[in-house]
């Protein structure tokens, strides 16, 4: 299989090289045209580093602020040797956004993904964020700082990087051979400031307060950056520090659906039910019913302390030695206060009305008795870090440039997610129609009042993660050699090698303490509402929004609770040591959920830079060998257990140990051509082959099951990488230092796509309750990752920007940036993240002491997750956000700054592919105010 893949890779490489050669043969070089001056890359980045705007303080004309950043970005884009878009800091230490990802989305063809209202990851040209390689100064960064709702991913979490540490952000849409592989859709390289590159002393200080509209909380943001050179410019030192705190509260409604037979009924194993309301029971009839509806408030206190340091030393004009360090530590204290309606655990069906959706009979008006309502408070405490050290040197002499460096990077996190599970039963009706944003829920027979009395709740258990450890370690060493040959023909040759070693690990430690054990720790709980039960009343607290009302920005007509009771697990747990908690319950580390993956890569490349008059470019080949070792166990799906009264804790026992070792080669040719038709108009063409390896978590042989959602999810250690052949072309017209109009067309042929193979399997499941254990055959939806067929992607980008300096004052401070991206793909039911329409509109004003910017980003709906019936996929509805910033310079050194994120308070809405409601998220509005000092 692997030999066939390698052969196909070589064939595709020959095709791309042929395209490149054709482009060279039919171009029209001009022997009298001046060649473009291409600067040698700085050692901190990848072998290809974009030219940086000159910070020479001796220049007569100095443009600062918003226009300075735009002019630098235009200059870098114009001089780049591949298709690149750039965002540059307005001044050193002053990045244009409070979050790095928020600014990236304003580049044409780029979209972002948010977690609780904050930009976390990046999509390029309609492909998933895992297809985007994100590098810090040319290197991938490990990240084990995931929360309860996100697994391991190769995608970088942009919230880990303070924007004050960013000098430029480069988005490579076409690769060169020396660019690190792994970015199938593109590469984002974040460059931090370095003293000798800046060439002058810089000291910036910033202090801001952030207000979150949903929580009503205010938190600080502090940062400082110092850079200077010593010893007559031979020693450069850069130091930066940042402390940020967020105290958001997100409001959410989550809706899940189960597909069960009338013979299974509700609760599962509790006897047959008339699920479709037709007055009879057909044991084999399959009906989709509401499985759960969760109203929750996620309240968070997120503290992050970060620092960067860089030392450059030039003992001679030929040699530079450097060391770079980055560190961030995160401490998160959060709690998810849940109002969890478990329809799958109800006592029986009272009434049901159905529709046929996606070929499946679906209950859209559903009334049940004795619903299992759980008002929990699962807290999530995380403490972790990322640290990165880079050491290297650069030697230049007689046209030779040699760069040798290596890095040691590590990330580790410890996480606790404990919850006091409680329960109350009652009668509930839910109505959820296609097109609804939120299901409407009504509590009947006095249940709305009973659920607000803590004495009506019985205790079930204390359960969740306890000291769960995740780690991500990355080491690499690389050598880059360049030989400059002249100004015409082959102007330079480059070659290099890079070796990297990455290891990812996550354990699966879980604690479960039954109600009797919790009572013993408490010192004796009062009796509960049911015979033999314990009361949860001592743990129950009222749950209300920090500010305003629950889902205050929702303007529909659905009915839902505005407040509820919840449990205070953290307040109880803090009274006991880890040893006491473990002694009172069951502490497990199930092998089927342990992640243990090691990946080693060896990359070799060669590149030639070309110049024939007005035609310049580069052609190269990168060869990379990937070796992966995954360790785990094969699952025993005949031994699944569900602990009903501990939060539906589902366990899959191990059958046998499993170790998979595999390796494969990829050959990645690339060609980039640039033709300067005039001094203002230039054309670009690029052809390349790129890859993205599967998520490290996806190639682990782990298997998880959900006894509430009736799903089994299996990963696959035999997954192949995603491979794509790409063609890009651009037209760029530069009619000013900060003025540009252009268009780009792109085509990507993805040869393969990792897909989820869906099947329905009847499995024996043991449901464990305090009253005993019941084993029944249960239909589970089994989802297995497999290597599937590919997809074609094509699109166009249009972009324009200009400063209106020709207008009469004071209007001559106005400027605009606008872009639009159209994306189309051949399999819209499988390819996620591909919004067909995307646009950004940015207006800015800068005149005298005043600078202001207003930006709106919008994307149309897109597939968030693919599925095959009876499982439903998810679609994110169209979403737009308006951000703003205003600064006023009160002295040459000090400015007052005001900023806003999601100014219009827009909510994110997810629906299933049938149109049924899936998720509604209100993350609120964020406002910032403070002062920035520059010396």
């Amino acid at each position: 299989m692997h030999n066939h893949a390698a052969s196909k890779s070589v064939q595709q490489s020959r095709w791309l090289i042929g395209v490149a050669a054709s482009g060279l043969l039919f171009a029209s070089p001009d022997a009298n045209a001046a060649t473009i001056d291409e600067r040698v890359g700085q050692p901190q980045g990848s072998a290809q580093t974009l030219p940086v705007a000159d910070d020479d303080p001796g220049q007569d004309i100095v443009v600062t602020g918003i226009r300075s950043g735009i002019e630098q970005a235009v200059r870098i884009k114009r001089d780049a040797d591949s298709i690149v878009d750039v965002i540059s800091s307005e001044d050193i230490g002053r990045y244009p956004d409070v979050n790095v990802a928020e600014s990236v989305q304003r580049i044409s063809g780029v979209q972002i993904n948010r977690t609780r209202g904050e930009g976390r990851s990046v999509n390029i040209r309609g492909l998933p964020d895992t297809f985007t390689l994100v590098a810090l100064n040319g290197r991938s960064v490990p990240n084990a700082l995931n929360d309860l709702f996100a697994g391991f991913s190769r995608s970088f979490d942009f919230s880990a990087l303070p924007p004050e540490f960013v000098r430029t952000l480069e988005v490579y849409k076409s690769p060169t051979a020396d660019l690190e592989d792994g970015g199938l859709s593109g590469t984002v390289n974040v460059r931090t400031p370095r003293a000798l590159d800046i060439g002058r002393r810089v000291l910036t200080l910033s202090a801001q307060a952030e207000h979150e509209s949903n929580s009503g909380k205010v938190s600080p943001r502090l940062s400082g950056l110092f850079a200077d050179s010593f010893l007559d410019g031979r020693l450069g030192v850069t130091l930066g520090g940042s402390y940020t705190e967020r105290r958001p509260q997100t409001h959410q409604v989550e809706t899940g659906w189960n597909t069960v037979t009338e013979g299974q009924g509700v609760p599962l194993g509790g006897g047959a039910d008339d699920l479709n309301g037709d007055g009879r029971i057909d044991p084999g009839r399959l009906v989709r019913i509401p499985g759960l509806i969760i109203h929750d408030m996620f309240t968070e206190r997120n503290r992050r302390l970060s620092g960067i340091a860089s030392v450059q030393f030039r003992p001679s004009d030929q040699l530079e030695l450097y060391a770079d360090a980055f560190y961030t530590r995160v401490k998160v204290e959060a709690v998810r206060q849940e109002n969890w309606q478990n329809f799958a655990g109800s006592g029986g069906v009272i009434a049901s009305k159905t529709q046929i959706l996606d070929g499946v009979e679906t209950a859209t008006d559903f009334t049940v008795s004795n619903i299992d309502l759980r008002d929990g408070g699962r807290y999530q405490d995380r403490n972790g870090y990322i640290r990165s050290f880079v050491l290297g040197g650069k030697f230049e002499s007689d046209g030779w440039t040699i760069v040798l460096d290596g890095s040691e990077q590590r990330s580790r996190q410890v996480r606790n997610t404990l919850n006091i599970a409680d329960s109350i039963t009652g009668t509930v009706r839910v109505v959820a129609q296609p097109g609804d944003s939120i299901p409407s829920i009504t509590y009947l027979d006095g249940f709305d009042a009973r659920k607000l009395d803590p004495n009506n709740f019985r205790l079930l258990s204390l359960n969740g993660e306890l000291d769960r450890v995740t780690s991500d370690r990355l080491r690499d060493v690389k050598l880059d050699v360049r030989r400059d040959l002249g100004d015409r023909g082959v102007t330079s040759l480059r070659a290099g090698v890079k070796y990297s070693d990455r290891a990812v690990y996550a354990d699966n430690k879980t604690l479960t303490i039954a109600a009797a054990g919790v009572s013993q720790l408490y010192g004796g709980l009062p009796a509960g509402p049911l015979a033999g039960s314990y009361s949860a009343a001592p743990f129950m607290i009222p749950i209300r929004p920090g500010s305003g009302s629950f889902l205050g920005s929702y303007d529909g007509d659905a009915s839902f609770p505005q407040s509820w009771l919840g449990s205070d697990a953290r307040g109880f747990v803090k009274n006991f040591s880890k040893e006491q908690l473990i002694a009172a319950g069951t502490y497990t580390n199930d092998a089927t959920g342990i992640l243990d993956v090691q990946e080693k890569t060896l990359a070799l490349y060669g590149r030639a830079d070309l110049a024939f008059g007005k035609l310049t470019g580069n052609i190269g080949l990168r060869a990379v060998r990937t070796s992966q070792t995954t360790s785990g166990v094969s699952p025993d799906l005949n031994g699944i257990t569900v602990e009903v009264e501990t939060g539906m804790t589902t366990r899959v026992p191990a059958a046998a140990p499993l170790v998979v070792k595999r390796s494969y080669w990829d050959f990645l040719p690339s060609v980039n051509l640039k033709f300067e038709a005039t001094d203002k108009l230039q054309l670009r063409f690029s052809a390349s082959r790129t890859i993205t390896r599967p998520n490290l978590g996806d190639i682990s042989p782990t298997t998880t099951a959900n006894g509430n959602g009736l799903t089994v999810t299996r990963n696959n250690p035999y997954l192949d990488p995603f491979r794509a052949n790409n063609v890009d072309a651009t037209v760029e017209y530069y009619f000013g230092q900060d003025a540009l109009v252009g268009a780009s067309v792109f085509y990507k042929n993805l040869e393969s796509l990792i897909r989820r193979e869906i099947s329905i399997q009847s499995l024996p499941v043991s449901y464990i309750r305090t009253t005993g254990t019941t084993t029944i055959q249960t239909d589970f939806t089994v989802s297995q990752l497999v290597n599937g067929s590919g997809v074609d992607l094509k699109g166009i980008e249009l972009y324009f920007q200009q400063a209106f300096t020709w207008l009469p004052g004071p209007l001559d401070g106005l400027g605009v940036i606008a872009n639009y991206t159209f994306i189309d793909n051949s399999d819209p039911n499988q390819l996620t993240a591909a919004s067909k329409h995307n646009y950004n509109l940015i207006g800015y004003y800068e005149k005298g002491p005043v600078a202001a910017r207003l930006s709106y980003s919008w994307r149309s709906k897109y597939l968030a997750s693919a599925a095959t019936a009876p499982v439903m996929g998810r679609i994110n509805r169209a979403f737009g956000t308006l951000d703003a910033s205003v600064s006023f310079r009160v002295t040459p050194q000090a400015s007052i700054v005001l900023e806003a994120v999601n100014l219009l308070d827009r909510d994110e809405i997810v629906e299933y592919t049938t149109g049924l409601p899936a998720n509604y998220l209100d993350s609120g509005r964020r406002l910032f105010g403070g002062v920035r000092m520059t010396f």
Side-chain angles (χ1 to χ4, degrees):
M1 179 190 303
H2 306 314
N3 291 335
H4 172 73
S7 175
K8 189 173 182 180
S9 176
V10 171
Q11 292 173 5
Q12 296 291 349
S13 300
R14 291 173 178 168
W15 175 81
L16 288 166
I17 292 173
V19 173
S22 300
L24 287 171
L25 289 173
F26 290 98
S28 301
D30 185 347
N32 297 318
T35 59
I36 294 178
D37 176 27
E38 182 181 319
R39 303 188 186 186
V40 175
Q42 302 296 327
Q44 76 176 46
S46 60
Q48 176 196 0
T49 302
L50 296 178
V52 180
D54 193 352
D55 287 311
D56 182 0
Q59 292 179 347
D60 294 331
I61 300 175
V62 178
V63 179
T64 61
I66 296 175
R67 284 190 57 200
S68 169
I70 294 173
E71 285 187 13
Q72 290 184 40
V74 170
R75 190 178 308 131
I76 295 171
K77 176 181 177 67
R78 186 172 187 173
D79 295 341
D81 47 14
S82 62
I83 299 174
V84 181
D85 286 295
V86 178
I87 295 176
S88 179
S89 60
E90 298 169 6
D91 292 305
I92 302 300
R94 183 185 175 185
Y95 195 69
D97 285 277
V98 295
N99 176 278
V100 179
E102 298 289 345
S103 60
V104 186
Q105 70 173 331
R106 299 187 183 105
I107 291 176
S108 60
V110 178
Q111 302 84 34
I112 68 170
N113 302 294
R114 294 174 175 83
T115 299
R116 293 186 287 278
E118 184 175 37
R120 294 289 180 90
S121 61
V122 170
N123 309 113
I124 297 179
R125 290 176 166 174
L127 291 172
D129 56 3
T130 53
F131 288 15
T132 301
L133 175 67
V134 180
L136 179 64
N137 296 323
R139 275 187 162 81
S140 297
V141 178
N143 183 19
L145 306 181
N146 53 347
D147 67 18
L148 180 62
F149 310 106
F152 262 106
S153 172
R154 294 184 189 271
S155 60
F156 180 76
D157 182 353
F158 278 91
S159 68
L161 185 66
E164 294 82 3
F165 294 170
V166 178
R167 190 181 184 196
T168 59
L169 188 146
E170 308 151 353
V171 179
Y172 294 84
K173 296 178 179 177
S174 68
T176 55
D178 50 332
L179 194 67
E180 185 172 351
D181 54 86
L184 183 146
S185 61
T187 297
V188 178
N189 185 38
V190 181
R191 297 185 59 206
T192 58
R194 303 178 79 188
L196 295 187
D197 302 335
I198 297 171
R200 57 187 172 87
R201 177 181 295 173
V202 171
L203 175 61
T204 66
L205 301 171
S206 175
Q208 287 184 310
E210 175 185 1
H211 178 267
E212 301 272 0
S213 63
N214 281 356
S215 68
K217 301 292 185 181
V218 177
S219 49
R221 298 171 59 93
L222 307 171
S223 69
L225 181 72
F226 169 80
D228 201 0
S229 58
F230 307 90
L231 302 179
D232 297 325
R234 293 192 177 276
L235 176 66
V237 177
T238 305
L239 297 171
S242 171
Y243 174 80
T244 61
E245 185 172 332
R246 279 199 72 198
R247 304 191 69 179
Q249 184 181 82
T250 51
H251 302 166
Q252 181 175 231
V253 179
E254 180 180 350
T255 308
W257 299 79
N258 290 354
T259 304
V260 298
T261 63
E262 291 194 331
Q264 290 174 314
V266 291
L268 292 174
D273 275 298
D274 178 13
L275 299 180
N276 67 350
D278 64 356
R280 63 180 185 272
I281 294 176
D282 181 354
R285 180 180 294 275
L286 201 65
V287 181
R288 181 186 290 130
I289 63 172
L292 58 86
I293 296 177
I294 307 173
H295 309 93
D296 79 70
M297 301 183 205
F298 192 94
T299 306
E300 183 177 359
R301 186 184 184 193
N302 187 324
R303 289 171 285 179
R304 186 182 297 273
L305 181 65
S306 304
I308 60 169
S310 175
V311 177
Q312 298 166 273
F313 180 57
R314 294 175 180 166
S316 68
D317 292 339
Q318 293 78 33
L319 180 63
E320 177 179 327
L321 305 175
Y322 54 90
D324 296 309
F326 168 68
Y327 179 82
T328 186
R329 175 168 286 278
V330 177
K331 184 176 182 180
V332 178
E333 296 172 328
V335 62
R336 187 189 192 202
Q337 297 290 357
E338 305 164 334
N339 184 59
W340 181 314
Q341 284 90 185
N342 180 16
F343 284 85
S346 60
V349 178
I350 295 177
S352 177
K353 295 179 181 179
T354 62
Q355 301 179 35
I356 303 298
L357 301 176
D358 198 19
V360 179
E361 195 169 11
T362 304
T364 55
D365 188 340
F366 200 57
T367 304
V368 296
S369 63
N370 292 322
I371 192 172
D372 182 10
L373 172 62
R374 302 188 179 192
D375 282 354
R378 187 175 300 281
Y379 73 85
Q380 182 178 162
D381 288 352
R382 301 189 287 123
N383 198 326
Y385 66 84
I386 301 173
R387 68 169 184 242
S388 171
F389 298 101
V390 179
L391 192 65
K394 173 183 173 184
F395 179 77
E396 294 180 284
S397 179
D398 297 328
W400 287 91
T401 302
I402 301 173
V403 179
L404 174 65
D405 60 23
S407 74
E408 165 71 28
Q409 303 181 86
R410 188 177 298 271
S411 180
R412 188 177 187 272
Q413 176 183 267
V414 178
R415 187 173 73 195
N416 297 310
T417 60
L418 293 173
N419 176 45
I420 291 180
D422 53 67
S423 178
I424 185 176
T425 60
T427 303
V428 170
R429 178 191 179 194
V430 59
V431 178
Q433 303 286 349
D436 289 346
S437 300
I438 296 174
S440 188
I441 191 164
T442 307
Y443 303 99
L444 305 173
D445 301 333
F447 191 30
D448 52 345
R450 286 196 302 113
K451 68 184 184 66
L452 296 179
D453 183 351
N455 293 306
N456 292 326
F457 286 82
R458 64 186 177 100
L459 177 68
L460 298 179
S461 69
L462 180 121
N463 65 83
E465 301 170 343
L466 180 64
D467 282 355
R468 181 170 291 191
V469 175
T470 55
S471 66
D472 189 357
R473 187 263 299 155
L474 177 60
R475 300 182 182 126
D476 67 55
V477 60
K478 64 176 181 174
L479 172 67
D480 298 301
V481 179
R482 169 173 168 168
R483 172 61 171 167
D484 293 324
L485 302 175
D487 296 331
R488 284 187 53 79
V490 179
T491 60
S492 67
L493 294 174
R494 311 188 193 200
V497 58
K498 180 177 180 180
Y499 174 79
S500 67
D501 181 356
R502 187 169 191 174
V504 171
Y505 177 82
D507 64 28
N508 191 27
K509 290 182 290 202
T510 301
L511 174 69
T512 303
I513 305 178
V518 176
S519 178
Q520 186 176 7
L521 287 172
Y522 183 80
L525 287 169
L530 300 181
S533 67
Y534 296 91
S535 174
F539 309 115
M540 305 303 287
I541 56 175
I543 305 302
R544 298 184 181 89
S547 178
S549 59
F550 178 66
L551 294 184
S553 55
Y554 171 72
D555 58 1
D557 55 4
S559 60
F560 51 86
Q562 290 292 313
S563 62
W564 54 85
L565 297 179
S567 60
D568 182 14
R570 182 186 285 113
F572 174 68
V573 168
K574 70 180 182 181
N575 299 311
F576 307 98
S577 67
K578 173 184 174 181
E579 291 72 22
Q580 288 175 302
L581 293 172
I582 292 175
T586 303
Y587 194 44
T588 61
N589 189 17
D590 292 341
T592 51
I594 293 177
L595 172 66
D596 188 358
V597 178
Q598 185 173 23
E599 180 179 86
K600 299 178 181 180
T601 62
L602 176 65
L604 308 167
Y605 76 86
R607 166 180 163 177
D609 295 327
L610 313 170
F612 299 96
K614 292 184 177 182
L615 178 69
T616 60
N618 58 81
I619 186 169
L621 176 67
R622 188 178 186 91
V624 57
R625 184 178 191 268
T626 304
S627 301
Q628 296 169 334
T629 301
T630 56
S631 302
V633 297
S634 57
D636 178 10
L637 295 182
N638 292 316
I640 296 176
T641 61
V642 179
E643 299 172 11
V644 177
E645 297 174 350
T646 63
M648 301 294 286
T649 300
T650 308
R651 303 186 190 280
V652 181
L658 178 65
V659 176
V660 177
K661 296 183 178 182
R662 64 194 303 258
S663 62
Y664 48 85
W665 278 94
D666 280 284
F667 300 94
L668 310 173
S670 62
V671 59
N672 293 276
L673 301 176
K674 180 171 67 174
F675 180 70
E676 287 191 288
T678 70
D679 59 349
K680 294 182 179 180
L681 177 66
Q682 65 183 28
L683 311 175
R684 294 183 185 268
F685 172 80
S686 171
S688 64
R689 181 174 172 83
T690 53
I691 65 166
T692 284
R693 299 173 185 87
N695 273 334
L696 293 172
D698 291 344
I699 61 174
S700 173
T702 54
T703 299
T704 59
N706 184 321
N708 193 70
L710 300 181
T711 60
V712 173
T713 303
R714 305 187 66 174
N715 295 328
N716 185 351
Y718 299 98
L719 293 176
D720 294 328
F722 303 89
R723 298 181 173 100
N725 303 303
N726 319 287
V727 176
D728 299 79
T730 72
V731 178
E732 303 163 2
Y733 184 74
Y734 298 88
F735 55 99
Q737 287 186 323
D738 53 9
L740 164 67
V741 62
S744 303
V745 293
F746 58 89
Y747 170 77
K748 293 181 179 293
N749 164 238
L750 274 72
E751 295 177 354
S752 62
L753 198 65
I754 295 175
R755 300 172 181 253
R756 286 204 171 270
E757 189 175 75
I758 305 296
S759 62
I760 304 296
Q761 294 186 27
S762 181
L763 302 172
V765 179
S766 297
Y767 291 90
I768 303 173
R769 298 178 173 85
T770 54
T771 56
T773 299
T774 304
T775 300
I776 61 171
Q777 287 293 124
T778 304
D779 287 343
F780 273 75
T781 301
V782 179
S783 171
Q784 166 81 53
L785 290 174
V786 297
N787 299 308
S789 58
V791 62
D792 291 336
L793 186 81
K794 58 183 180 293
I796 185 170
E797 301 171 359
L798 305 174
Y799 39 91
F800 168 80
Q801 63 184 64
Q802 184 180 18
F804 302 126
T805 54
W806 42 268
L807 290 175
L811 299 179
D812 56 347
L814 289 170
V816 66
I817 301 173
N819 59 66
Y820 167 79
T821 304
F822 172 81
I823 302 170
D824 190 24
N825 75 83
S826 61
D827 196 349
N829 294 322
Q830 282 293 326
L831 186 63
T832 60
S835 294
K836 180 166 286 192
H837 304 284
N838 311 261
Y839 70 83
N840 297 281
L841 183 60
I842 305 168
Y844 63 89
Y845 179 84
E846 190 169 38
K847 184 76 171 179
V850 178
R853 179 172 51 83
L854 192 66
S855 59
Y856 184 76
S857 297
W858 183 89
R859 63 186 300 188
S860 61
K861 67 178 182 178
Y862 63 93
L863 185 70
S865 62
T868 303
V871 180
M872 297 178 289
R874 289 174 172 242
I875 294 175
N876 278 51
R877 289 187 186 176
F879 180 77
T881 180
L882 180 69
D883 302 337
S885 68
V886 179
S887 68
F888 183 80
R889 191 172 65 249
V890 293
T891 72
Q893 293 79 30
S895 298
I896 296 174
V897 180
L898 300 175
E899 298 175 89
V901 175
N902 194 19
L903 194 59
L904 301 179
D905 198 10
R906 293 292 186 252
D907 301 332
E908 297 176 64
I909 304 173
V910 184
E911 64 184 17
Y912 290 101
T913 46
T914 56
L916 292 171
N919 189 275
Y920 190 101
L921 180 67
D922 172 10
S923 55
R925 179 188 298 112
R926 302 169 65 193
L927 302 176
F928 305 80
V931 61
R932 181 177 287 118
M933 307 283 291
T934 303
F935 303 94

